């Protein structure tokens, strides 16, 4: 499951993951669930791959990995994670509208709570994306961290990134991928 808020690049991340799995011969199904994505609302993408996949939907307790672009979105997605699953999390808070308007408070201690429930890798992907050259590369930093946990060769990921992102942003995205891939957390 890839979760974030509108404008963070979750859909590009799902395309990179899906295309990488396809290039390795897997059957892939992707389902995008858009909330109020233009207004910073939740965006969820399911990416399922395997020898044969019948449905793109991930039910509660089924996700192997949650790739979360924001803390609260990781918390919201937690019921979908299977027992023993992994969360890769950008350690950033983006306040949803109820928090902005004062109708709700942003929850505290999300990462410690998640760490009690799952194997959590938390990182400042925004800072790493700035090292790569743009705050918009958070998605590819996180894809790099994910790639390092999977049994797909690094060069396959880089080839898919090369084929997926616009040429004018290729160097930036390859650098962001490398920073994520080499993250030791």
């Amino acid at each position: 499951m890839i979760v974030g808020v509108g404008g963070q690049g979750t859909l590009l991340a799902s395309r990179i993951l899906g295309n990488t799995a396809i290039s390795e011969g897997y059957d892939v199904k992707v389902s995008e669930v858009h909330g109020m994505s233009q207004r910073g609302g939740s965006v969820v993408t399911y990416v399922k791959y395997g020898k044969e996949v019948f449905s793109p939907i991930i039910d509660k307790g089924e996700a192997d990995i949650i790739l979360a672009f924001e803390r609260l979105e990781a918390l919201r997605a937690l019921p979908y994670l299977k027992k023993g699953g992994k969360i890769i999390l950008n350690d950033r808070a983006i306040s949803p509208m109820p928090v902005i308007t004062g109708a709700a408070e942003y929850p505290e201690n999300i990462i410690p709570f998640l760490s009690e429930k799952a194997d959590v890798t938390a990182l400042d992907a925004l800072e790493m994306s700035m090292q790569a050259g743009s705050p918009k590369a958070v998605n590819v930093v996180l894809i790099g961290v994910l790639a390092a946990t999977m049994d797909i060769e690094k060069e396959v990921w880089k080839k898919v990134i090369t084929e997926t992102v616009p040429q004018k942003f290729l160097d930036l995205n390859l650098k962001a991928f490398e920073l994520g891939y080499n993250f030791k957390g």
Side-chain angles (χ1 to χ4, degrees):
M1 250 178 107
I2 300 175
V3 298
V5 297
Q8 287 190 295
T10 57
L11 301 181
L12 176 61
S14 67
R15 280 203 324 266
I16 292 170
L17 174 56
N19 289 344
T20 300
I22 287 170
S23 74
E24 290 292 284
Y26 291 107
D27 184 20
V28 177
K29 301 285 187 282
V30 177
S31 176
E32 299 165 357
V33 180
H34 300 271
M36 294 281 291
S37 58
Q38 274 77 24
R39 301 188 190 271
S42 296
V43 178
V44 177
T45 305
Y46 304 122
V47 180
K48 289 176 76 172
Y49 69 94
K51 183 177 178 183
E52 192 171 24
V53 178
F54 298 102
S55 168
I57 303 301
I58 295 174
D59 289 322
K60 289 183 177 177
E62 288 187 347
D64 295 306
I65 298 172
I66 294 173
L67 189 64
F69 287 47
E70 194 272 340
R71 287 185 226 138
L72 185 55
E73 295 304 324
L75 183 61
R76 288 178 178 160
L78 183 61
Y80 290 87
L81 190 65
K82 75 176 188 181
K83 186 174 176 121
K86 182 169 185 56
I87 298 172
I88 298 171
L89 168 65
N90 181 25
D91 187 6
R92 287 290 170 157
I94 299 173
S95 295
M97 195 53 67
V99 172
I100 292 169
T101 63
E105 289 186 24
Y106 196 94
E108 294 182 18
N109 302 314
I110 291 175
I111 293 175
F113 176 80
L114 292 173
S115 296
E116 293 174 5
K117 310 286 183 192
D119 175 9
V120 175
T121 300
L123 64 144
D124 189 342
L126 178 60
E127 176 60 32
M128 293 171 74
S129 72
M130 295 296 285
Q131 290 174 31
S134 172
K136 294 184 177 189
V138 165
N139 54 354
V140 182
V141 169
L142 291 170
I143 283 290
V145 176
L146 173 67
T149 70
M150 297 178 67
D151 292 330
I152 298 175
E153 293 293 322
K154 179 179 174 183
E155 294 307 314
V156 173
W157 290 93
K158 290 171 69 174
K159 181 177 185 293
V160 169
I161 290 168
T162 300
E163 295 168 349
T164 306
V165 303
Q167 182 64 36
K168 66 182 177 178
F169 301 118
L170 181 57
D171 290 340
L172 162 72
N173 282 285
L174 289 174
K175 188 173 181 183
F177 174 81
E178 287 288 341
L179 288 168
Y181 193 89
N182 294 317
F183 175 74
K184 306 292 183 224

